[in-house]
Structures are given as structure tokens and as C-alpha cells.
Amino acid sequence: MLSKSGTGYEAGDFAVAYDDLYPLASKYDLDIMACGNNKPVGKVLKPSTAAALGEPDYVLKNLGFKVTDDQQHADVLVNTFDSDKLVEKGKPSLLMEIWGWLM
């Protein structure tokens, strides 16, 4: 994830290796920009494990995310129940409603 903004990109955007991005770019319409010889400034994000229920569980698994039903050991909670104490302690949580994703 980029930590500094520049021409054509903003802090919070993602830098991805060409070899990793090419299979997706050939299937989906993506807004991408080549960095060329300019190494982007940012940090490497570690893979996250999601605790998810229902449709988000299915979708996340099919997108290649690691999904668990163990809320204690998940990095983020998606559409979980009985997770108030974990959220109060700071565990990130996403809720999917009829009208879309809420953060």
C-alpha cells in the first residue's frame, strides 16, 4: 500500500507486481498505471484472514482469501454475529447489508 501520493496515484493506493496483476487485468476492467523504473514508496501488507458468514464467506473464498469460522484468530470480521466484544477491543469489522458494504 502506497504511503505517499504522487502524479496519478494517491496514498492508500496499491502497488502490485506485473506478474501478479496480469491474470486479473486480462479478465477485469482495472484502472492501472505502470510505475516504470520509479519504485513506489509504501509498505507490504500481510495476508489477512477473515471470519465470515453467509455470502461473504463464499465470495471471499472464491477471491482467494483465507476464511475461518474462528473469530478470535481472524484479522477481520465480515458479517459475524456475537462479535461485539472483539469489535470493542478493536478488531476490524465489515457488515454487508442489502444495499452494500458498510464500514
Side-chain angles (χ1 to χ4, degrees):
M1 183 173 69
L2 302 180
S3 56
K4 293 185 179 181
S5 297
T7 304
Y9 60 91
E10 297 179 19
D13 286 351
F14 295 94
V16 180
Y18 176 84
D19 290 343
D20 294 331
L21 184 62
Y22 181 76
L24 295 173
S26 64
K27 290 182 179 180
Y28 303 101
D29 184 26
L30 303 175
D31 184 16
I32 57 177
M33 157 185 150
C35 293
N37 293 327
N38 301 323
K39 185 175 180 178
V41 177
K43 64 180 181 177
V44 175
L45 300 177
K46 70 177 188 79
S48 295
T49 299
L53 298 172
E55 188 175 341
D57 175 277
Y58 173 80
V59 171
L60 291 169
K61 283 179 181 174
N62 281 285
L63 288 172
F65 288 90
K66 184 175 180 185
V67 180
T68 181
D69 57 4
D70 184 351
Q71 294 182 23
Q72 293 284 345
H73 293 98
D75 299 306
V76 64
L77 307 173
V78 182
N79 263 32
T80 57
F81 296 97
D82 299 325
S83 53
D84 294 350
K85 290 180 182 176
L86 292 171
V87 173
E88 287 172 6
K89 290 180 182 177
K91 188 159 301 239
S93 177
L94 299 171
L95 299 175
M96 184 177 167
E97 298 291 337
I98 294 170
W99 54 85
W101 289 91
L102 299 174
M103 293 182 82

